[in-house]
């Protein structure tokens, strides 16, 4: 992605993944804190006394900063900050570090090693105490940053709202992200399916990813971010100021009324993607018509051993109870690739994205899937939710048939498959003849169809669900469902959260759309402005386009309400 000159300043191009136009100052994400040399000696000229004093002062400064932030925060955020402040002043931690300093170790190495030991002890205790190990390591990084005189890790602090710039953002980085403080997200790496992109959509933030030249932006630089066009302009002028002002005055989106439909009344149920009970309750409050994707990994990740039956039943029941009488589609464990599990996956695989992941783990480690299905069945039996179950990474008709048989053995009556492997799309009629429904995972389908790792910024243009090749496979899958006797095909990938692309998907014959709850309102609003026939015409425009960019451009040009709503 190259930069170009513009009357107002330098134009930096990337991939837009979150609609919106804003202007604000840049704040860069601090680099992660690197570990000091193990057992590093006292700095030149330092004494045990001066180094101990320096360590104590750094810990006090960190605690004071966290207390000040807690005072201006509220709810869960305030509670977390207060707890972390207490950890920064923990006498046990500081005493252990002080003993290491007394042996001639530097303050940085001492606090690093002492915190490591405390964290290991907490993890060994399990439960709530194990969860506190992360807090200890966070405090460790903050104290070391204070000792080094560099910015603390995590979301930067500022007195005014800002545009957060980074190479990329990890899940941990964004856990404390406050949309009231962050105007937009800009990353030099990542892609349209990266974690940054998913976070931007879920929080409703303008965002541009895969813009390598934004790495040169410095703190304080004023930038204009256009998340729809994928443009960042340094030192914006009157034209950008007018665009940002117009966006601020956009027509408010109507709240989702709980029933997705086109202008002529064609029903398109709008469902939610969730990852646990809290997610499910929030989605229900937002009006979601059910759950189109329950990511069951939330039960398994971070564990050394497979979770027990009762724990799984309780976790699934919490989600089901949030949607009494409504559909909840459960995806069985999608371990592997970016979600490794020590008891299930092989971390030494040379190419994990093409390795033993999803449904394939049942071959390498049989029994885990059957036990999960038993837990899902028990939870479903105790709930009024209409529970459907689908397997990820199904590649062949035989795999689809085998999974349906496993579901039947567990007493689950509505088996389905995720279509994300191209072979499943190509053989859709044969694959879907064995199950009751299918859901297209556009994130993985896109990266496999285009042979482009979705995390790699240089491949971001390829890794775009607007790619005509991907849209042709969506249509082929829908047609396969019709030929298999009317098997409904939905979409649960991030593509469903793009209001313009959602119109195209409906035009291609997709029956349901599942998305993060924040997308329900914009998708519903735009869908309600087109008839089914018009959606089919727009889908034809996208299918005939020579590129993803041209497909997007053609369709957006025919949907004037996108501009009205600031989408």
């Amino acid at each position: 992605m190259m930069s170009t000159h513009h009357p107002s300043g330098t134009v930096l191009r990337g991939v837009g993944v979150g609609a919106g136009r804003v202007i604000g100052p840049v704040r860069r994400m601090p680099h992660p804190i690197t570990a000091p040399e193990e057992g590093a000696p006292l700095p030149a000229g330092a004494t045990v006394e001066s180094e101990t004093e320096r360590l104590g002062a750094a810990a006090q400064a960190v605690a004071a900063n966290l207390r000040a932030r807690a005072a201006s925060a509220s709810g869960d955020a305030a509670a977390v900050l207060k707890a972390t402040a207490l950890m920064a002043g923990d006498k046990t931690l500081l005493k252990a570090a002080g003993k290491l300093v007394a042996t001639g170790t530097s303050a940085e190495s001492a606090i690093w090693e002492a915190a490591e030991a405390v964290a290991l002890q907490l993890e060994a205790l399990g439960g709530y105490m194990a969860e506190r190990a992360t807090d200890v390591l966070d405090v460790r990084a903050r104290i070391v940053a204070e000792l080094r005189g560099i910015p603390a890790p995590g979301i930067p602090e500022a007195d005014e709202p800002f545009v957060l710039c980074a190479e990329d953002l990890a899940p941990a980085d964004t856990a404390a992200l406050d949309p009231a403080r962050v105007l937009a997200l800009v990353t030099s790496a990542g892609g349209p399916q990266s974690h940054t992109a998913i976070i931007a959509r879920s929080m409703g933030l303008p965002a541009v990813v895969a813009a390598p030249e934004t790495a040169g932006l410095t703190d304080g630089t004023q930038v204009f971010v256009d998340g729809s066009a994928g443009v960042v302009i340094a030192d914006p002028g009157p034209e950008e100021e007018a665009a940002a002002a117009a966006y601020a005055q956009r027509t408010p989106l109507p709240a989702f009324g709980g029933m997705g439909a086109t202008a002529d009344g064609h029903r398109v149920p709008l469902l939610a993607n969730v990852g646990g009970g809290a997610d499910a309750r929030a989605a229900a409050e937002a009006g979601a018509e059910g759950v189109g994707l329950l990511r069951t990994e939330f039960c398994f990740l971070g564990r050394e051993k497979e979770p027990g039956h009762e724990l799984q039943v309780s976790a699934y029941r919490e989600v089901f109870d949030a949607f009494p009488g409504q559909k909840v589609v459960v995806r069985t464990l999608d371990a592997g690739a970016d979600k490794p599990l020590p008891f299930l996956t092989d971390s030494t695989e040379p190419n994990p994205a093409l390795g033993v992941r999803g449904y394939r783990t049942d071959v390498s480690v049989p029994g885990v899937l059957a036990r999960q299905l038993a837990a899902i069945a028990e939870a479903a039996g105790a709930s009024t939710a209409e529970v459907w179950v689908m397997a990820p990474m199904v590649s062949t008709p035989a795999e689809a048939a085998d999974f349906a048989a496993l579901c039947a053995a567990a007493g689950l009556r509505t088996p389905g498959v995720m279509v994300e492997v191209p072979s499943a799309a190509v053989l859709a009629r044969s694959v879907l003849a064995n199950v009751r429904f299918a859901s297209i995972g556009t994130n993985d389908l896109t990266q496999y169809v285009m042979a482009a790792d979705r995390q790699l910024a240089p491949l971001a243009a390829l890794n775009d669900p607007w790619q005509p090749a991907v849209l042709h496979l969506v249509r082929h899958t829908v047609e396969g469902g019709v030929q298999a006797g009317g098997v409904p095909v939905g979409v649960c990938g991030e593509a469903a959260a793009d209001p313009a692309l959602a119109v195209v998907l409906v035009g291609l014959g997709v029956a349901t759309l599942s998305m993060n709850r924040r997308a329900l309102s914009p998708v519903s609003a735009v869908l309600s402005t087109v008839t089914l026939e018009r959606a089919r015409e727009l889908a034809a425009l996208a299918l005939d386009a020579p590129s993803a960019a041209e497909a997007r451009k053609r369709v957006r040009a025919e949907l004037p309400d996108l501009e009205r709503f600031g989408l």
Side-chain angles (χ1 to χ4, degrees), residues 7-78:
S8 304
T10 304
V11 180
L12 309 172
R13 301 189 182 279
V15 177
V17 295
R21 302 182 186 93
V22 297
I23 290 177
V26 166
R27 288 303 304 271
R28 295 209 65 86
M29 189 80 173
H31 292 294
I33 302 299
T34 56
E37 180 187 348
E38 186 175 350
L42 296 174
T47 64
V48 168
E49 291 73 21
S50 66
E51 195 70 350
T52 302
E53 185 177 335
R54 194 167 76 94
L55 173 61
Q60 288 176 11
V62 168
N65 175 269
L66 290 167
R67 283 194 297 269
R69 288 173 58 195
S72 60
S74 60
D76 291 342

Side-chain angles (χ1 to χ4, degrees), residues 8-414:
S8 304
T10 304
V11 180
L12 309 172
R13 301 189 182 279
V15 177
V17 295
R21 302 182 186 93
V22 297
I23 290 177
V26 166
R27 288 303 304 271
R28 295 209 65 86
M29 189 80 173
H31 292 294
I33 302 299
T34 56
E37 180 187 348
E38 186 175 350
L42 296 174
T47 64
V48 168
E49 291 73 21
S50 66
E51 195 70 350
T52 302
E53 185 177 335
R54 194 167 76 94
L55 173 61
Q60 288 176 11
V62 168
N65 175 269
L66 290 167
R67 283 194 297 269
R69 288 173 58 195
S72 60
S74 60
D76 291 342
V80 169
L81 289 166
K82 287 177 182 176
T84 311
L86 288 173
M87 188 67 73
D90 183 73
K91 291 181 179 179
T92 302
L93 174 62
L94 294 177
K95 186 176 180 180
K99 286 182 178 179
L100 290 172
V101 171
T103 66
T105 302
S106 72
E108 287 181 29
S109 289
I111 192 66
W112 195 271
E113 293 171 26
E116 183 76 23
V118 171
L120 288 173
Q121 290 170 4
L122 291 173
E123 287 174 356
L125 293 173
Y128 173 82
M129 298 306 292
E131 295 172 7
R132 301 283 68 78
T134 302
D135 298 341
V136 174
L137 299 180
D138 178 46
V139 162
R140 173 179 76 174
R142 292 178 182 279
I143 293 175
V144 170
E146 182 71 24
L147 288 166
R148 293 176 179 174
I150 60 176
I155 305 298
E157 299 171 45
D159 296 329
E160 59 181 338
F162 57 89
V163 174
L164 180 61
C165 290
E167 178 181 357
D168 203 1
L169 295 173
D173 296 329
T174 53
L177 197 155
D178 180 359
R181 294 170 54 217
V182 178
L183 296 170
L185 302 176
V186 174
T187 64
S188 55
Q193 322 263 13
S194 65
H195 179 74
T196 300
I198 294 169
I199 283 292
R201 295 186 191 104
S202 69
M203 303 190 79
L205 288 172
V208 175
V209 300
E213 291 181 307
T214 60
L217 293 172
T218 56
D219 277 3
T221 302
Q222 287 289 122
V223 293
F224 168 74
V225 179
D226 186 338
S228 296
V231 165
V232 179
I233 298 178
D235 303 316
E239 184 181 337
E240 290 75 46
E241 290 171 359
Y247 176 74
Q249 298 300 316
R250 65 193 180 281
T251 301
L253 281 165
F256 177 47
M259 187 173 288
T262 58
D264 56 340
H266 173 71
R267 283 281 286 122
V268 184
L270 301 185
L271 313 171
N273 296 341
V274 305
D279 261 2
R281 288 187 290 273
E285 290 173 9
E289 298 182 65
V291 171
L293 171 63
L294 168 57
R295 304 181 181 95
T296 58
E297 296 78 48
F298 78 98
C299 244
F300 292 79
L301 293 177
R303 296 179 180 276
E304 293 295 319
K305 297 180 180 179
E306 177 185 351
H309 178 79
E310 293 304 324
L311 189 152
Q312 289 193 56
V313 171
S314 175
Y316 305 146
R317 176 75 187 274
E318 196 177 347
V319 175
F320 299 165
D321 286 351
F323 287 92
Q326 293 177 285
K327 180 168 75 171
V328 176
V329 180
V330 181
R331 179 179 71 188
T332 56
L333 181 58
D334 189 15
D338 60 341
K339 298 183 285 286
L341 289 174
F343 57 87
L344 194 60
T345 55
D346 179 3
S347 61
T348 65
E349 281 185 342
N351 193 349
L354 297 179
V356 180
R357 56 171 295 203
Y359 177 72
R360 299 170 179 179
T361 59
D362 192 51
V363 176
S364 58
V365 187
V368 175
L369 177 58
R371 289 189 289 274
Q372 182 181 27
L373 291 173
I376 294 169
E378 182 172 326
S383 166
T384 62
E386 183 184 344
V387 177
W388 297 15
V389 187
M390 61 183 180
M393 291 295 289
V394 167
S395 305
T396 67
E399 288 179 349
D402 288 345
F403 178 70
L406 282 171
C407 287
L412 294 162
R413 296 187 298 274
T414 314

